[in-house]
Amino acid sequence: MGFYDWMIWTQRYINGTLGLSVPKNTNPLRFGVLGAADFSPVGLFDPASTHPDVLVVAIGARSLAKAQAQASKWNIPLAFGSYQEVLDQPDIDAVYIPLPIAHHAEWTIKAVRAGKHVLCEKSLCCNQDEARAVQKAARETGKVVLEAFHWQFHPVNHVLKTLVDSGKFGRMQSIVTEMRTVFAHTPDDIRLKYEMGGGACLDLAYVFSGLRYFVGSKGEFVVTRTKPTLYPNDKRVDYKMEADLDFHPDNGEPAIHCKAIADLTQPRILGIIPTIEPPRLKIEFEYATVKLDGWVAPHYPHNLLITDKRTNITAKQKHYNFGPKWQAIGETYWTTYRYQLEAFVMKVRGLEPPHWIDLEESVEVLGIIGDVYEHAGMAWRGKTVEEMSV
Amino acid sequence: MGFYDWMIWTQRYINGTLGLSVPKNTNPLRFGVLGAADFSPVGLFDPASTHPDVLVVAIGARSLAKAQAQASKWNIPLAFGSYQEVLDQPDIDAVYIPLPIAHHAEWTIKAVRAGKHVLCEKSLCCNQDEARAVQKAARETGKVVLEAFHWQFHPVNHVLKTLVDSGKFGRMQSIVTEMRTVFAHTPDDIRLKYEMGGGACLDLAYVFSGLRYFVGSKGEFVVTRTKPTLYPNDKRVDYKMEADLDFHPDNGEPAIHCKAIADLTQPRILGIIPTIEPPRLKIEFEYATVKLDGWVAPHYPHNLLITDKRTNITAKQKHYNFGPKWQAIGETYWTTYRYQLEAFVMKVRGLEPPHWIDLEESVEVLGIIGDVYEHAGMAWRGKTVEEMSV
């Protein structure tokens, strides 16, 4: 059982939904997948199993054998030996792209031009230029493109965002977003390959997306300090990044200090057992200290802890459904990926999803990451706008 | 320590808010109280302590000594030997009325005519005629009058209502609302006095209010069966009432079977220790069975349990804040009474509260209770419209 199998099994076990699937609508949205990625079961197959309006019908990979193996394991009818063959299927409505980041822009653009909607894994692209090209192609074709910042579809993050925006705790003074993983410990891991768009900042782009979401967009992020830990075998790759930024609000209020920590270096105990560190988020307000442990994947148990400095009361909250946005849509056992898929399908179907992430936000987040790399004296990944062949 | 002191202590202990109070606004809403009721600390004093815009300034009771004793205990500056003196204070904005039910209509009408807004304990009146007179007086004076169906201001009940209305579990087939208390075990309890508006139906009117809220108002309730247990010392008083009703929706869908159980007969263990039975609510849908234990006072721990008959998954939910209505207003430790007070003050201040109960709903609930008494062959309490002296 691989790591991602274990992730799914664990979340389904915790949620009591092992083996759950629902009957499909008569004409569901038909998904193809580009690549036979380990992550697809978490990001798409599991959420699709409980979505009545989603059917995964094809996997295309450079290796036909790998595509066939994954398709067979997950009861997916079609397997192809290339990505292009998936795009060539006229009855496929949408594609899921869990390829290495360096291939995201190219295949997202090809997909929308082939008439497919796209759910693309994070980071959407290697850099802001690529993201703008994706944005342009999406606009021209009228297709839906969503960067899979799944965490942002979970009710507890909407609860926190609403509390931030309400001003009930006064002004935000600082925010820290953290994610630490054990994923990248083998030399052939694509997350450590510069040419594939590797590195902690792009792989764990959540931490920058989190800053952008909670702090908002009405102002300017300025990188003030970066502390990269470089991958020993390739010094172009950030194994870990600590970045400090100041957010200067347009309204002239004092800057908000922001810190993002993206870390691929967490050790394994005895070299085997992953050390599971919940992604942590902490916001300091004038009148409260707020911590959200598990903010990236709150469907594993999360804890929203708010200490009101005026009353000195610390109250714990958990929100697995409802929150300010989802109303009766959703179940307590839905993962972030399931909420994300719900929103994606609503958007494709012409409905107004309770939450959405525009490509402009993806462009902004990649702008922040670009600034961080620049401050750290590290090269941008990917192509410039001139180099984009598509 | 009396029962109500124990209630407050327990809820504050559970919520970790013992001793909590907040600074007041410069010009808060000034409340007077009619009667030195045991229940006032739960219904008003405790919620007011954490409301920056509420100050309790006066208690008036028939016994000046009792008014003084309660005022002194709760640091309330003014005490009067009559209700009228409270209404005569020009700087009192609102009154809280925890009097015996038979006095509600008279004093609510006097209060609004004296220019006071009114938060009146349930039941608003003894019968529908009285309630219509209250409604008329409120309309004429433009004052806010709210029947204290506090349970209906709690987020978890909004969650359940939203799930009901969403239709996601199919058609509602049946609903049972229950409340059982040990309060009425002394012969001098006003809840057992016919002339005071005593009896289980009016005292625990929640169970009918619950039917009305969750089933809705677009249809007709028809009482099909009643099983009263009469108070041995006064057979005019229902010690316990089981009532079956059919709700016939206006849209021609099949009737929804409703059952309400209001019970003042719960025994004490060894004659001393109250048997605490959480108020239970159960709704059967086509595709789900829903139970909400603790629905009347969900700030004591509640459990919303939903079993989806299609997946056979039972998921537990708890909602102490947010839900579909309150957004960032509220704290996890707020009681139903605190949420209710928040809404009341917003209404008085000309704001749109996230939730509200119109007097028309109070009139309808008293109509249901009247039908139940009639079916059981029991006399209505209170005055007819002709007898209303005010």
Side-chain angles (χ1 to χ4, degrees):
Chain A
M1 189 159 85
F3 186 81
Y4 290 106
D5 293 309
W6 173 84
M7 267 181 77
I8 286 217
W9 190 88
T10 308
Q11 76 196 18
R12 297 198 127 199
Y13 180 80
I14 288 173
N15 300 326
T17 60
L18 280 170
L20 178 66
S21 67
V22 301
K24 299 296 177 182
N25 295 347
T26 46
N27 193 20
L29 203 69
R30 296 162 64 85
F31 265 79
V33 183
L34 305 194
D38 285 344
F39 189 72
S40 296
V42 175
L44 182 66
F45 304 160
D46 176 59
S49 72
T50 62
H51 199 309
D53 203 25
V54 171
L55 209 56
V56 184
V57 296
I59 298 176
R62 283 173 307 168
S63 150
L64 178 60
K66 278 191 178 173
Q68 283 170 332
Q70 194 176 45
S72 156
K73 180 173 176 185
W74 290 91
N75 293 316
I76 292 161
L78 301 172
F80 299 106
S82 71
Y83 310 144
Q84 187 58 47
E85 282 167 282
V86 175
L87 300 189
D88 291 342
Q89 303 302 309
D91 61 349
I92 285 181
D93 307 299
V95 294
Y96 172 60
I97 303 186
L99 297 171
I101 295 169
H103 298 152
H104 285 184
E106 176 188 351
W107 285 99
T108 298
I109 292 169
K110 282 182 176 164
V112 295
R113 291 201 176 144
K116 315 303 184 197
H117 304 285
V118 177
L119 175 61
C120 180
E121 268 309 324
K122 46 80 201 169
S123 286
L124 178 68
C125 298
C126 287
N127 63 52
Q128 214 177 24
D129 278 4
E130 290 184 2
R132 288 223 174 87
V134 166
Q135 192 179 28
K136 183 163 167 281
R139 206 175 281 143
E140 285 168 1
T141 57
K143 293 295 154 188
V144 172
V145 176
L146 176 66
E147 180 176 14
F149 280 139
H150 56 95
W151 70 273
Q152 213 186 95
F153 291 89
H154 196 277
V156 75
N157 283 309
H158 304 157
V159 162
L160 180 50
K161 174 66 170 164
T162 300
L163 291 172
V164 169
D165 291 348
S166 75
K168 73 185 283 184
F169 302 130
R171 210 174 54 75
M172 189 194 289
Q173 296 169 325
S174 67
I175 174 170
V176 182
T177 54
E178 283 185 40
M179 188 166 182
R180 302 172 192 274
T181 77
V182 292
F183 299 173
H185 269 255
T186 55
D188 60 341
D189 193 311
I190 56 165
R191 295 170 188 82
L192 297 175
K193 291 196 191 302
Y194 177 81
E195 293 77 10
M196 296 289 100
C201 285
L202 286 177
D203 185 47
L204 304 178
Y206 301 123
V207 296
F208 300 103
S209 161
L211 294 183
R212 162 63 182 70
Y213 179 65
F214 289 112
V215 169
S217 59
K218 291 171 184 160
E220 192 192 356
F221 284 97
V222 176
V223 182
T224 59
R225 174 179 167 272
T226 49
K227 190 183 164 198
T229 303
L230 303 181
Y231 179 50
N233 298 354
D234 184 346
K235 296 291 176 70
R236 296 173 301 173
V237 173
D238 46 318
Y239 211 13
K240 176 179 173 181
M241 179 67 83
E242 264 187 58
D244 291 80
L245 305 91
D246 281 343
F247 180 81
H248 298 276
D250 288 337
N251 62 11
E253 287 194 349
I256 299 167
H257 182 69
C258 309
K259 184 190 272 290
I261 301 174
D263 183 357
L264 298 172
T265 69
Q266 285 296 292
R268 287 171 194 258
I269 298 161
L270 305 175
I272 304 167
I273 305 159
T275 49
I276 303 291
E277 175 85 1
R280 297 184 195 282
L281 186 149
K282 183 177 176 182
I283 305 181
E284 201 70 49
F285 295 91
E286 281 178 277
Y287 308 127
T289 302
V290 174
K291 293 180 189 177
L292 177 52
D293 289 343
W295 66 283
V296 175
H299 49 276
Y300 294 108
H302 64 263
N303 259 328
L304 175 57
L305 286 160
I306 301 180
T307 302
D308 192 311
K309 297 173 185 175
R310 294 162 295 193
T311 60
N312 213 26
I313 287 178
T314 297
K316 186 164 73 175
Q317 303 181 33
K318 291 166 186 284
H319 299 269
Y320 292 101
N321 62 346
F322 275 85
K325 291 194 163 193
W326 281 103
Q327 301 283 331
I329 300 172
E331 303 294 335
T332 49
Y333 55 79
W334 276 17
T335 63
T336 49
Y337 311 100
R338 181 61 182 83
Y339 279 110
Q340 171 181 267
L341 188 62
E342 187 76 14
F344 182 83
V345 173
M346 289 179 81
K347 193 77 171 179
V348 168
R349 294 300 196 197
L351 304 169
E352 186 70 38
H355 184 71
W356 192 246
I357 304 173
D358 284 319
L359 283 176
E360 187 56 33
E361 187 169 333
S362 297
V363 168
E364 286 175 32
V365 171
L366 280 163
I368 297 171
I369 294 173
D371 291 347
V372 167
Y373 276 141
E374 193 174 315
H375 190 279
M378 299 177 73
W380 275 32
R381 285 105 179 94
K383 298 176 178 170
T384 63
V385 68
E386 292 79 16
E387 291 165 348
M388 296 289 292
S389 60
V390 288
Chain B
M1 189 160 84
F3 186 79
Y4 290 105
D5 294 308
W6 173 84
M7 268 182 76
I8 287 218
W9 189 89
T10 308
Q11 76 197 19
R12 297 199 126 200
Y13 180 79
I14 288 173
N15 300 326
T17 61
L18 281 170
L20 178 66
S21 67
V22 301
K24 299 297 177 182
N25 295 348
T26 45
N27 193 19
L29 203 70
R30 295 162 65 84
F31 265 79
V33 183
L34 305 193
D38 285 344
F39 189 73
S40 297
V42 175
L44 182 66
F45 304 160
D46 176 60
S49 72
T50 61
H51 198 309
D53 204 26
V54 171
L55 209 56
V56 183
V57 296
I59 298 175
R62 283 174 307 168
S63 151
L64 177 59
K66 279 191 178 172
Q68 284 170 332
Q70 194 176 45
S72 156
K73 180 172 177 186
W74 290 91
N75 293 316
I76 292 161
L78 301 171
F80 299 106
S82 71
Y83 310 144
Q84 187 58 47
E85 282 167 281
V86 175
L87 300 189
D88 291 342
Q89 303 303 309
D91 61 349
I92 284 181
D93 308 299
V95 294
Y96 172 60
I97 302 186
L99 297 171
I101 295 169
H103 299 152
H104 285 184
E106 176 187 351
W107 285 99
T108 298
I109 292 169
K110 282 182 176 164
V112 295
R113 292 201 176 145
K116 315 302 184 197
H117 304 286
V118 177
L119 174 61
C120 180
E121 268 309 325
K122 47 80 201 170
S123 288
L124 178 68
C125 298
C126 288
N127 63 52
Q128 214 177 23
D129 278 4
E130 290 184 2
R132 288 222 174 87
V134 166
Q135 191 179 29
K136 184 163 167 281
R139 206 175 281 144
E140 286 168 1
T141 57
K143 293 294 155 188
V144 172
V145 176
L146 176 65
E147 180 176 15
F149 280 139
H150 56 95
W151 70 273
Q152 213 185 95
F153 291 89
H154 196 278
V156 75
N157 284 308
H158 304 157
V159 162
L160 180 50
K161 174 66 170 165
T162 301
L163 290 172
V164 168
D165 290 349
S166 75
K168 74 185 282 183
F169 302 130
R171 210 174 54 75
M172 189 194 289
Q173 296 170 325
S174 67
I175 174 170
V176 181
T177 54
E178 283 185 39
M179 188 167 181
R180 303 172 191 275
T181 78
V182 292
F183 299 173
H185 270 255
T186 55
D188 61 341
D189 193 311
I190 56 166
R191 295 170 188 82
L192 297 175
K193 290 195 191 303
Y194 177 80
E195 293 78 10
M196 296 289 99
C201 285
L202 286 178
D203 185 47
L204 304 179
Y206 301 122
V207 296
F208 300 103
S209 161
L211 294 182
R212 162 65 181 69
Y213 179 64
F214 289 112
V215 170
S217 59
K218 292 171 184 160
E220 192 191 357
F221 284 97
V222 176
V223 183
T224 59
R225 174 179 166 272
T226 49
K227 189 182 164 199
T229 303
L230 303 180
Y231 179 51
N233 298 354
D234 184 346
K235 297 291 177 70
R236 295 172 301 173
V237 173
D238 45 319
Y239 211 13
K240 175 180 174 181
M241 179 68 82
E242 264 188 58
D244 291 80
L245 305 91
D246 281 343
F247 180 80
H248 298 276
D250 288 338
N251 62 11
E253 287 194 349
I256 299 167
H257 181 69
C258 309
K259 183 190 273 290
I261 301 174
D263 182 357
L264 298 172
T265 69
Q266 285 296 292
R268 287 171 194 258
I269 298 161
L270 305 175
I272 303 168
I273 305 159
T275 48
I276 303 291
E277 175 86 1
R280 296 184 196 280
L281 186 149
K282 183 177 176 181
I283 305 181
E284 200 70 49
F285 295 90
E286 281 177 276
Y287 307 126
T289 302
V290 174
K291 293 180 189 177
L292 177 52
D293 289 343
W295 66 283
V296 175
H299 49 276
Y300 294 108
H302 64 262
N303 259 328
L304 175 57
L305 286 160
I306 302 181
T307 302
D308 192 310
K309 297 174 186 175
R310 294 162 295 193
T311 60
N312 212 26
I313 287 178
T314 297
K316 185 163 74 175
Q317 303 182 34
K318 291 167 186 285
H319 299 270
Y320 291 101
N321 61 346
F322 275 85
K325 291 194 164 194
W326 281 103
Q327 301 283 330
I329 300 172
E331 303 294 336
T332 49
Y333 55 78
W334 276 17
T335 64
T336 49
Y337 310 101
R338 182 61 182 83
Y339 279 110
Q340 171 180 266
L341 188 62
E342 187 76 14
F344 183 82
V345 173
M346 289 179 81
K347 193 77 172 179
V348 168
R349 294 301 196 195
L351 304 169
E352 186 71 38
H355 184 72
W356 192 247
I357 304 173
D358 284 320
L359 283 176
E360 187 57 33
E361 186 169 333
S362 298
V363 168
E364 286 175 32
V365 171
L366 280 162
I368 297 171
I369 294 173
D371 290 348
V372 167
Y373 276 141
E374 193 173 315
H375 190 279
M378 299 177 72
W380 275 31
R381 285 106 180 93
K383 298 175 178 171
T384 63
V385 68
E386 292 79 16
E387 291 165 348
M388 296 289 292
S389 60
V390 287

